[in-house]
């Protein structure tokens, strides 16, 4: 590969690279022009910051392509318009319009869903709207969401896992005035981070080949990817940074922390800010969950290297049906709970930049139990080769629950299975009321408005939601993408 192709492959069309500097980038490209892939794998590419595209007037074309994923390694990918293993970052102001055309140039059906946004039914990307190869789909909706990090990914029934894994996922940043007023780190001090794990073949290319065991536990990778690049590196100044983190993996839970043991300042979750910043040693993120973090490098000497690390933790999978701990490793991939270094920070430049961290934040008003007029319970089971909700496998055309438009309800998610299930709702943001069993508490990163909540084996979690947006058919599902593809989903009709 020539230097120019290399640069283009790294940055995507119009993408930016942060840190590493032009020098490091050029030398990475020079190295990979000659080095064998195996040698070059040792050094990470500079962090890719995808280009930002406006959601109003956007065209996303699903197609196969190839992308540079590590120094000297180009991999087949499935993309939504970028020459990269993850998509562009979409941006929209709260109250703004999203007019998006999806064009399907794949050889299979697809549809894109805007995870965490609450559009009308027609624009939600429900699997029954999947379009055939050669077809296109037009979305048109107002984005009335609080400032936060959301994301987009495919939602074609039984094909979500492979499509998202191969690259068809990206971030959505919604901004609003309340956020502007906070004066949070911005520009190069705000890093959007889509974190994933991948399995690679001998040449370093992405490989998705799920075994029976993978379909039970979910497809766990061996190596971390950030923004479509394997184990990247970013140069930072001695300043405060805002890290906007999404777990976009198929099945891995990341325990996100600083490798130097200092706390993270957590300011937001899935769907907006917490009420106040809170110092936490780590944040657990399951697939679909987001964290808004402030990380302070201001007192570190130039030359310091540290990582954004996923800490080791005990696998939450139980013995259950004999499909948990005992069979771990049979599917391949590092076990759930293995340590992974996601991103390396190199403190490269001293600056003096005083910062003020706001004492309170513009959190959404919590939805209260006392507002609820009805309760429902949903049991997530994984037995033999089936993943079900209330003993049923998904049927795209079946309505499983009917909910009056405008009502507030308490939903209980029960996990008596051997696997963790990150449970996601379309159409609403919810507040977590309680967790009993297992970890036995609502965790700090679950205190704001959310759309996805992790239920470990043995846990019951109650959430409260207002179904006050739009009538129509929406979904509740497990966001482990293999579980989702296997049918751990259901439809609810808001009417
Ligand atoms: Cu992140 Cu139904 O989706
Ligand atoms: Cu969603
Ligand atoms: Cu699940």
């Amino acid at each position: 590969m020539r230097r120019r192709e290399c640069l283009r492959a790294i940055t995507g069309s119009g993408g930016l690279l942060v840190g590493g500097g032009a020098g490091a980038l050029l030398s990475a490209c020079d190295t990979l022009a000659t080095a064998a892939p195996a040698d070059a794998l040792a050094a990470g590419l500079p962090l890719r910051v995808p280009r930002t595209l406006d959601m109003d007037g956007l065209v996303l074309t699903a197609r196969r392509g190839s992308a540079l994923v590590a120094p000297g390694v180009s991999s087949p990918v499935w993309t939504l318009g970028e020459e990269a293993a993850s998509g562009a970052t979409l941006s929209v102001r709260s109250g703004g319009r999203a007019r998006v055309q999806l064009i399907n140039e794949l050889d299979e059906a697809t549809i894109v869903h805007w995870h965490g946004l609450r559009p009308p039914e027609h624009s939600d990307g429900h699997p029954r709207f999947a379009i055939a190869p050669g077809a296109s789909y037009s979305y048109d909706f107002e984005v009335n969401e609080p400032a936060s990090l959301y994301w987009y990914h495919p939602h074609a029934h039984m094909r979500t896992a492979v499509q998202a894994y191969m690259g068809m996922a990206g971030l959505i940043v919604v901004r609003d005035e309340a956020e502007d007023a906070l004066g949070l780190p911005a520009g190069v001090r705000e890093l959007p981070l889509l974190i994933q794990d991948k399995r690679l073949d001998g040449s370093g290319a992405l490989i998705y080949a799920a075994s029976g065991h993978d379909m039970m536990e979910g497809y766990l990778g061996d190596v971390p990817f950030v923004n479509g690049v394997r184990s990247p590196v970013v140069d930072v100044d001695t300043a405060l940074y805002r890290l906007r983190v999404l777990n976009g993996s198929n099945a891995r839970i990341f325990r996100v922390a600083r490798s130097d043991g200092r706390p993270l300042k957590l300011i937001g979750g899935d769907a907006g800010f917490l009420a106040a910043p809170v110092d936490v040693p780590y944040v657990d993120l399951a697939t679909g969950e987001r964290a808004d973090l402030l990380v302070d490098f201001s007192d570190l000497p130039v030359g310091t290297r540290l990582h954004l690390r996923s800490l080791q933790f005990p696998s939450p999978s139980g013995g259950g049906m004999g499909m948990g701990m005992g069979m771990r490793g049979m599917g391949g991939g590092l076990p759930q709970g293995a340590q992974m270094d996601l991103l390396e920070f190199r403190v490269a430049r001293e600056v003096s930049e005083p910062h003020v961290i706001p004492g309170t934040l513009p959190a959404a008003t919590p939805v209260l139990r006392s507002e609820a007029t009805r309760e429902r319970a949903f049991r997530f089971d994984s037995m033999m080769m089936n993943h079900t909700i209330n003993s049923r496998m998904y049927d795209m055309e079946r309505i499983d629950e009917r909910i009056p438009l405008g009502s507030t309800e308490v939903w209980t998610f029960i996990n008596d299975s051997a696997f963790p299930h990150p449970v996601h709702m379309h159409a609403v943001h919810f507040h977590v009321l309680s967790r009993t069993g297992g970890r036995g508490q609502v965790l700090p990163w679950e205190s704001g408005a959310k759309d996805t909540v992790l239920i470990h084996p043995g846990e019951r979690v109650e959430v409260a939601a207002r179904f006050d947006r739009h009538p129509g058919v929406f979904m509740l599902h497990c966001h482990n993408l293999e579980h989702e593809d296997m049918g751990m989903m259901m439809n609810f009709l808001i009417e």
Side-chain angles (χ1 to χ4, degrees):
M1 184 183 297
R2 293 173 192 279
R3 179 192 264 196
R4 182 190 291 157
E5 288 165 22
C6 165
L7 288 170
R8 208 165 112 75
I10 297 173
T11 59
S13 20
L16 286 179
L17 285 166
V18 172
L25 174 54
L26 290 169
S27 69
C29 285
D30 289 342
T31 312
L32 67 84
T34 49
D39 301 336
L41 280 178
L45 286 173
L47 177 67
R48 168 180 169 260
V49 174
R51 63 180 173 153
T52 298
L53 300 176
D54 198 316
M55 282 191 87
D56 195 357
L58 178 67
V59 178
L60 295 177
T61 304
R63 65 163 82 98
R64 292 187 188 226
S66 73
L68 200 76
V69 295
V73 181
S74 123
S75 170
V77 289
W78 302 10
T79 68
L80 286 168
E82 303 297 285
E83 293 173 68
S86 77
T89 298
L90 310 185
S91 119
V92 60
R93 296 287 302 182
S94 185
R97 189 112 175 244
R99 270 176 290 214
V100 186
Q101 196 191 8
L102 171 69
I103 300 171
N104 185 5
E105 292 182 2
L106 295 172
D107 52 13
E108 61 181 58
T110 193
I111 192 72
V112 168
H113 165 65
W114 324 99
H115 179 127
L117 306 186
R118 295 168 290 182
E121 179 182 32
H122 169 270
S123 289
D124 193 45
H126 188 279
R128 72 188 191 289
F129 298 141
I131 52 168
S136 76
Y137 193 91
S138 296
Y139 301 83
D140 186 349
F141 60 102
E142 249 175 53
V143 178
N144 291 309
E145 310 299 350
S148 199
L149 184 69
Y150 304 92
W151 64 304
Y152 60 101
H153 61 74
H155 224 308
H157 188 34
M158 311 204 335
R159 299 300 291 165
T160 296
V162 64
Q163 292 181 5
Y165 179 91
M166 291 304 292
M168 294 170 60
L171 302 173
I172 302 174
V173 175
V174 177
R175 302 198 187 274
D176 65 16
E177 274 154 33
E179 178 192 39
D180 296 342
L182 298 173
L184 295 171
V188 296
R189 302 267 186 272
E190 180 184 6
L191 299 177
L193 304 174
L194 190 165
I195 61 178
Q196 295 173 311
D197 60 330
K198 306 286 186 193
R199 263 183 233 174
L200 307 176
D201 69 12
S203 73
L206 304 189
I207 162 162
Y208 187 83
S211 66
H213 179 83
D214 292 326
M215 297 309 289
M216 282 312 286
E217 185 166 19
Y219 198 72
L220 296 169
D222 302 305
V223 292
F225 267 58
V226 179
N227 297 344
V229 169
R230 175 178 176 167
S231 308
V233 179
V234 62
D235 281 2
V236 293
D237 297 338
T238 56
L240 185 72
Y241 281 74
R242 182 179 184 192
L243 308 186
R244 319 279 315 260
V245 187
L246 159 76
N247 181 345
S249 71
N250 283 42
R252 186 169 296 282
I253 299 163
F254 291 106
R255 175 161 286 186
V256 178
R258 283 172 70 137
S259 60
D260 62 4
R262 296 202 197 178
L264 301 165
K265 198 165 286 289
L266 175 69
I267 60 171
D270 295 352
F273 291 104
L274 309 186
V278 52
D279 284 341
V280 290
Y282 59 80
V283 176
D284 283 344
L285 294 181
T287 304
E289 291 189 295
R290 288 88 76 197
D292 201 342
L293 303 167
L294 297 179
V295 174
D296 191 1
F297 300 118
S298 62
D299 62 350
L300 298 179
V302 167
T304 305
R305 293 177 174 206
L306 69 155
H307 285 95
L308 189 69
R309 174 171 288 170
S310 182
L311 302 176
Q312 188 175 359
F313 59 91
S315 171
S317 299
M321 297 301 293
M323 295 296 289
M325 313 275 288
M327 286 180 67
R328 178 142 30 84
M330 289 184 66
L334 289 180
Q336 187 71 279
Q339 179 178 305
M340 280 190 176
D341 283 341
L342 305 169
L343 170 65
E344 182 179 344
F345 299 105
R346 295 185 181 165
V347 181
R349 193 168 64 119
E350 189 167 335
V351 297
S352 152
E353 217 173 67
H355 56 253
V356 183
I357 294 174
T360 60
L361 297 164
T365 315
V367 186
L368 304 174
R369 182 190 299 276
S370 56
E371 297 169 43
T373 51
R374 183 162 172 183
E375 301 196 3
R376 301 177 205 245
F378 301 92
R379 184 176 297 272
F380 291 75
D381 281 320
S382 299
M383 297 214 299
M384 309 316 284
M385 287 307 280
N386 283 321
H387 300 288
T388 56
I389 303 176
N390 287 347
S391 308
R392 295 171 121 180
M393 260 175 43
Y394 188 58
D395 175 341
M396 214 150 56
E397 305 297 337
R398 187 185 67 222
I399 302 299
D400 296 290
E401 303 286 332
R402 293 170 178 271
I403 296 132
L405 178 64
S407 64
T408 299
E409 302 199 352
V410 171
W411 286 18
T412 304
F413 306 132
I414 301 161
N415 183 358
D416 290 330
S417 79
F419 299 106
H421 299 296
V423 174
H424 171 55
M425 294 176 74
H426 290 208
V428 299
H429 296 160
F430 55 72
H431 280 78
V432 182
L433 300 176
S434 75
R435 172 181 284 108
T436 50
R439 293 167 292 166
Q441 58 179 307
V442 178
L443 296 150
W445 50 88
E446 297 172 327
S447 65
K450 285 182 68 60
D451 55 56
T452 307
V453 63
L454 176 60
I455 324 290
H456 273 183
E459 293 183 352
R460 307 168 68 97
V461 170
E462 290 178 305
V463 306
R466 286 189 203 105
F467 296 81
D468 59 358
R469 281 295 168 107
H470 305 284
V473 177
F474 298 95
M475 326 181 63
L476 167 78
H477 62 87
C478 178
H479 220 295
N480 175 310
L481 298 185
E482 282 70 35
H483 294 182
E484 170 174 344
D485 277 354
M486 297 272 287
M488 193 173 246
M489 307 203 284
M490 56 151 251
N491 287 327
F492 58 84
L493 171 65
I494 304 177
E495 58 185 352

